[in-house]
């Protein structure tokens, strides 16, 4: 079969002929030199479909890197002039596109090796002097090659200028697309500012007759804003672009897609550079808010199906009314509540208070606006929350269903944004109103009422609505038990019941049987697609009810219990993989998670099935893939696509399967639950397999949640193994072997982590992992890598903190100052966690101390710069010094004087510093006692005892936030008494009465336990300085003891007594 005949066969309508031709083509690819030469010849000497097929086969062959590597150099060189000539002569669009893709792919590979010197000159020639098709092709190829040609910025700029000055709109559009890619890819783009007026002229040409073209240009400029907002800000063209985009949005004669694209451009800019928008565009923001409200007033009421169908959350075709609501939300989030309330507040209230009650659009727009800007205006709305809430509630009885719906949705938003104060203040009126709406004649209103209950219950104390629980559940049960009720109403009803159950806990027990019977009926519905969501919601509801009511109730009745039936149902779902379209697939892991916790030993028989299935699912999950087919995922809401420019490869498109990413997170979370709730002996056989599948996810490419959930497993697995080591079932070496797997994974993740809160969380998990180990489990290489990484983390966060503090001092914008404060908090939390990790290393891994002195101690000393890092930096430094003194052994001797000087200097800086300094002085007292007489040692600092004594006594007089500092001061005084008794001012007679005045100690439970143990030992010994002459202090001591014992019994986790001290108190006062 000749190559021409092969092309004809590939075009055949007969499957068998086409299949044979595809096999023949694969065979021909084994001799790529001959195949590609033949295809080049066919592209030259055929037309129409045959040329198109030849071009397509050529493209698919050369883009396969494995085939490309087999080509001879002569073949690679020989095809270059042929391809350039084809770009000049081929007319057919599809064939040209395939040739362009082939040229860009080959060009990216060859240019890096100087293997195609004629390519760029030819493309620049085509762009500046070619015809329309040649210019479009040149722009397309340059766009695809952008990542590989960033050293030719000026020549590309000239080519772009030529095409943007073309009389042909398609050429201009191709140039705009290329401009967008280049600006987003290149570093040096200042010269491209001159091209912006040409792009704006092109955009103006497109309105009103070429809306699709305008849509493409606006989309490209939006990408530029996302990638390089500073480029536009400094160009002088930003405000003209925003004004022109505004005119498009405001022109209701234009089609909605182009108006929405223009809206997106404006909103993207406001989000990208809110500081500029607030400083230079307040008038524009005012216009934009007014326009968004105007768009929201275009809501219609002409759909007879609206009231009996659910809101389609997957519908991406926004109306202008929906876009207006979303736009207000985004503007409020970007510019902050202070300015947004000033711009929008009066406008919204004017709409909702409109005396023209016949125009319901105004009321609807106002209610939706309140919903959408509430989060962004949280502080400002909180001041007037009562009036706003009553205003919304007054619309619960509006004659129009859409108004009632909007009001209930606004209440739901307020319940989330202003919790828990909202629930505490308005529970009676809100729940009364929602209860009424649950009986509304319109199904969608009933549905939103049930949904709003969910929001309300999330942060409501059960006592707030205890008298209404029964009435609400009865009404919800009626909806659930009504055969005529719409499924979508029942679905949200189940969620509302689940929310109440989670909130009220064991108070739900009286309703358990009634609701669970209905749940079982729902789960037994026929296996039909329309039932998958309500079954999923029923499973979720059952899991929350089970958690609320407890193991005994859930498994009451043994084999016939509701708990056993649900576990069997879950097992069957897990064994028979659900189709992606089945909603239960999204819920089953979460439901398992809750039932694992509540089922206890009832779950153990199901463990092998669950672990095996979840490991397989996690291991086989594909969450990232290359995406050469642009339309492959166009309609898949669970996929996000993005394009990367890869040097030597050109542009590559990737697809992220967000649904798979979410599944991974949930699977990792249930693994954590298994380790927390299942006996270590049962989990041990699965550790090797689980580690194999979860460790790679600690460096997951796009999800902070996945990375955090995977890192969380490290300490849980380590603790499981340690439990078996402690029981003698495993050798101690098992812990070192496990750390050799975990440490590299965690360190590698920290090196890559760009999200500061996630980095802080990973560091915390690392600390917990070390805490679960025995001593000295790190190899020298692991130790070195960890310390290097910690050094970098300290450097980066300290630099960021210093920069944020400097900016905070000069920034007078309230919202921006809050954002800066939030950023500062994130970096400080990371530093706190790093400090905790260092402390744990010094405590358990002694080999780290010497390298710590060399690599990190200088940075810790820098943190004591109050002007640069504030009291938080000082506190962290003091904490590290404390750990160094406490666990540094002989290494800390040479640093003892300097550390003590800092403890004295910073104790009064801030309450938190006071606590750390007093704790450190306690350590220093004990450490000082051991070195004061050491031969050749440094001895004590001058005036150590009197200076320390004076500082600690002064700390006892501080109140309020200084309680923890005073507690540590008391503990330090007791240590001073123990180790330096007899020195001036240090005696039981002088210190114990003073200490007793601060009892009971609090603010630091661990230190308070130490203090109370020592004091009550003095009481048991009858020390007169404590009990007083003739035991006159005993009534006061007894009152203190009873208060502490009451706390010990009622809240043992927060008790300020050790079990031994509690026993002493019982002995003394029983």
């Amino acid at each position: 079969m000749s190559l021409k005949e092969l092309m004809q066969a590939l075009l055949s309508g007969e499957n068998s002929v086409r299949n044979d031709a595809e096999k023949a083509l694969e065979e021909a690819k084994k001799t790529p030199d001959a195949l590609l030469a033949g295809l080049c010849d066919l592209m030259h000497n055929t037309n129409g479909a045959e040329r198109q097929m030849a071009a397509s086969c050529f493209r698919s062959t050369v883009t396969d890197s494995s085939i490309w590597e087999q080509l001879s150099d002569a073949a690679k060189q020989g095809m270059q002039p042929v391809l350039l000539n084809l770009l000049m002569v081929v007319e057919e669009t599809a064939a040209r596109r395939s040739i362009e893709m082939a040229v860009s792919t080959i060009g990216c590979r060859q240019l890096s090796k100087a293997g195609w010197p004629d390519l760029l000159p030819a493309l620049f020639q085509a762009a500046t002097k070619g015809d329309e098709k040649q210019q479009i092709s040149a722009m397309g190829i340059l766009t695809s090659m952008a990542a590989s040609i960033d050293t030719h910025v000026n020549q590309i700029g000239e080519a772009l200028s030529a095409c943007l000055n073309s009389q042909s709109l398609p050429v201009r559009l191709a140039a705009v697309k290329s401009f967008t890619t280049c600006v987003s890819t290149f570093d040096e783009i200042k010269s491209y500012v001159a091209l912006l007026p040409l792009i704006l002229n092109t955009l103006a040409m497109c309105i009103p007759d070429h809306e699709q073209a305008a849509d493409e240009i606006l989309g490209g400029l939006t990408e530029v804003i996302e990638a390089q907002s500073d480029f536009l800000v400094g160009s002088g063209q930003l405000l003209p672009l925003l004004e022109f985009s505004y005119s498009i949005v405001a022109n209701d004669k234009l089609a909605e897609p182009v108006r929405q694209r223009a809206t997106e451009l404006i909103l993207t800019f406001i989000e990208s550079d809110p500081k500029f928008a607030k400083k230079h565009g307040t008038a524009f923001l005012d216009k934009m808010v007014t326009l968004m409200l105007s768009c929201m007033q275009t809501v219609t009421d002409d759909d007879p199906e609206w009231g009996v169908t659910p809101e389609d959350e997957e519908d991406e075709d926004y109306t202008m009314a929906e876009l207006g609501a979303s736009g207000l939300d985004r503007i409020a989030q970007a510019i902050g509540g202070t300015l947004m309330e000033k711009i929008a507040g009066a406008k919204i209230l004017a709409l909702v208070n409109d005396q023209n009650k016949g125009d319901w659009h105004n009321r609807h727009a106002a209610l939706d606006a309140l919903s959408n800007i509430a989060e962004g205006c949280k502080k400002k709305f909180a001041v007037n929350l009562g009036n706003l809430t009553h205003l919304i509630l007054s619309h619960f009885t509006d004659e129009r269903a859409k108004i009632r719906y909007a009001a209930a949705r606004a209440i739901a938003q307020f319940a989330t944004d202003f919790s828990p104060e909202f629930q505490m203040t308005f529970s009676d009126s809100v729940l009364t109103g929602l209860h009424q709406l649950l009986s509304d004649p319109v199904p969608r209103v009933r549905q939103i009422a049930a949904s709003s209950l969910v929001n309300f219950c999330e942060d409501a104390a059960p006592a707030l609505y205890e008298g209404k629980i029964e009435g609400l559940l009865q009404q919800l049960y009626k909806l659930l038990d009504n055969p005529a009720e719409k499924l979508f109403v029942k679905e949200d009803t189940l969620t509302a019941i689940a929310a109440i159950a989670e909130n009220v806990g064991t108070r739900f027990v009286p309703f358990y049987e009634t609701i669970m019977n209905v749940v079982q009926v729902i789960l037994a519905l026929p296996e039909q697609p329309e039932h998958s969501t309500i079954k999923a919601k029923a499973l979720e509801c059952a899991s929350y009810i089970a958690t609320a009511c407890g193991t005994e109730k859930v498994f009451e009745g043994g084999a016939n219990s509701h708990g056993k039936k649900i576990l069997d149902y879950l097992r069957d779902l897990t064994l028979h993989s659900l189709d992606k379209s089945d909603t239960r697939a999204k819920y089953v892991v979460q439901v398992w998670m809750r039932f694992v916790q509540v089922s206890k030993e009832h779950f153990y028989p199901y463990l092998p099935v669950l672990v095996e299935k979840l490991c397989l699912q996690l291991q086989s999950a594909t969450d990232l893939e290359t995406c050469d087919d642009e339309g492959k995922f166009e309609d898949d809401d669970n996929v996000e696509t993005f394009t990367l420019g890869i040097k030597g490869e050109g542009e590559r498109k990737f697809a992220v399967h967000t649904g798979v990413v979410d599944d991974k997170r949930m699977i990792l979370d249930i693994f954590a639950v298994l380790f927390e709730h299942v006996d270590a002996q049962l989990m041990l056989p699965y550790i090797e397999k689980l580690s194999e599948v979860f460790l790679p996810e600690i460096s997951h490419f796009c999800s902070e949640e996945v990375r955090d959930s995977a890192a969380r497993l490290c300490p849980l697995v380590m603790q499981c193994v340690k439990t078996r080591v402690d029981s003698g079932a495993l050798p101690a070496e098992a812990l070192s072997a496990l750390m050799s797997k975990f440490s590299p994974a965690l360190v590698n993740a920290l090196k890559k982590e760009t999200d500061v809160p996630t980095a802080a969380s990973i560091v915390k998990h690392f600390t917990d992992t070390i805490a679960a180990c025995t001593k000295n489990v790190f190899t020298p290489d692991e130790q070195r890598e960890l310390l290097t990484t910690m050094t970098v983390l300290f450097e980066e966060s300290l630099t960021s903190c210093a920069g944020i503090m400097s900016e905070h001092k000069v920034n007078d914008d309230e919202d921006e100052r809050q954002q800066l404060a939030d950023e500062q908090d994130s970096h400080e939390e990371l530093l706190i966690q790093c400090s905790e990790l260092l402390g744990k290393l010094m405590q358990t891994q002694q080999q780290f101390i010497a390298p710590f002195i060399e690599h990190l101690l200088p940075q810790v000393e820098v943190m004591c710069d109050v002007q640069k890092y504030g009291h938080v930096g000082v506190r962290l430094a003091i904490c590290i010094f404390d750990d160094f003194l406490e666990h540094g052994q002989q290494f800390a001797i040479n640093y003892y004087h300097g550390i003590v000087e800092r403890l004295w200097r910073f104790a009064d800086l801030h309450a938190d510093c006071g606590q750390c300094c007093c704790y450190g002085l306690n350590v220093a007292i004990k450490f000082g006692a051991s070195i004061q007489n050491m031969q050749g040692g440094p001895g004590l600092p001058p005036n150590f005892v009197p200076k320390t004594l004076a500082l600690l006594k002064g700390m006892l007089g501080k109140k309020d936030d200084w309680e923890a500092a005073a507690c540590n001061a008391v503990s330090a005084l007791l240590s001073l008494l123990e180790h330096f008794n007899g020195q001036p001012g240090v005696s039981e007679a002088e210190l114990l009465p003073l200490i007793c005045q601060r009892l009971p100690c609090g603010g630091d439970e661990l230190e308070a336990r130490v203090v109370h143990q020592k004091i009550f030992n003095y009481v048991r010994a009858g020390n007169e300085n404590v009990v007083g002459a003739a035991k006159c202090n005993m009534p006061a001591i007894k009152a203190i003891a009873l208060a502490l014992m009451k706390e010990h019994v009622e809240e043992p986790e927060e008790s300020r007594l050790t079990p031994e001290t509690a026993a002493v108190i019982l002995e003394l006062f029983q």
Side-chain angles (χ1 to χ4, degrees), residues 27 274 279 510 563 759 893 1016:
E27 187 66 27
K279 188 174 182 180
I893 292 174
F1016 282 104

Side-chain angles (χ1 to χ4, degrees), residues 512-513 516-517 520 554 556 560-566:
Y512 174 82
E513 198 64 37
M516 287 298 284
N517 283 335
Q520 297 287 3
V554 173
E556 191 176 63
N560 291 319
S561 66
H562 289 297
K564 178 68 166 61
K565 291 175 183 177
I566 297 292

Side-chain angles (χ1 to χ4, degrees), residues 17 67 163 180 304 344 346 359 536 583 634 657 662 676 714 725 730 815 833 843 855 986 1038 1047:
V17 174
I67 295 177
C163 291
T180 300
D359 190 358
T583 312
E634 192 173 353
H657 296 263
D662 290 340
E676 289 170 339
C714 290
V725 169
L730 286 175
D815 296 307
Q833 294 305 329
Q843 180 184 351
H855 295 286
V986 183
K1038 182 176 181 179
E1047 177 188 275

Side-chain angles (χ1 to χ4, degrees), residues 59 119 223 249 348 387 614 751 814 859 953 982 1027 1044:
R59 175 189 61 79
L119 176 59
E223 291 179 22
V249 182
I348 293 171
N387 290 334
L614 291 181
K751 287 179 180 178
E814 180 183 343
Q859 286 188 346
K953 288 169 112 177
V1027 301
L1044 289 170

Side-chain angles (χ1 to χ4, degrees), residues 43-168:
M43 287 188 285
H44 252 301
N45 298 311
T46 58
N47 292 293
E50 288 180 16
R51 172 181 274 173
Q52 182 177 330
M53 180 56 71
S56 177
C57 290
F58 185 91
R59 175 189 61 79
S60 65
T61 303
V62 298
T63 52
D64 187 329
S65 58
S66 62
I67 295 177
W68 178 259
E69 294 301 322
Q70 298 175 39
L71 277 177
S72 66
D73 290 339
K76 292 175 182 178
Q77 296 296 324
M79 69 177 63
Q80 292 174 6
V82 177
L83 290 170
L84 292 178
N85 182 257
L86 285 169
L87 286 174
M88 300 298 110
V89 299
V90 172
E91 294 289 331
E92 298 92 341
T93 301
R96 287 187 69 84
R97 182 62 184 139
S98 290
I99 295 168
E100 290 167 15
M101 293 172 69
V103 168
S104 63
T105 301
I106 297 170
C108 288
R109 291 172 179 160
Q110 294 294 85
L111 283 176
S112 61
K113 305 172 185 177
W116 196 347
D118 297 334
L119 176 59
L120 290 180
L123 292 175
F124 295 147
Q125 176 77 8
T128 54
K129 297 182 179 178
D131 61 22
E132 180 182 274
K133 287 184 180 294
Q134 291 166 3
Q135 286 183 304
I136 292 172
S137 291
M139 287 293 102
I141 295 169
L142 290 172
T143 300
S144 297
M145 294 175 61
S148 300
I149 55 176
D150 53 357
T151 57
H152 301 270
V153 172
N154 292 334
Q155 297 99 312
I156 295 169
E158 292 170 7
L160 289 170
S161 178
C163 291
L164 286 169
N165 277 298
S166 170
Q167 297 300 308
S168 164

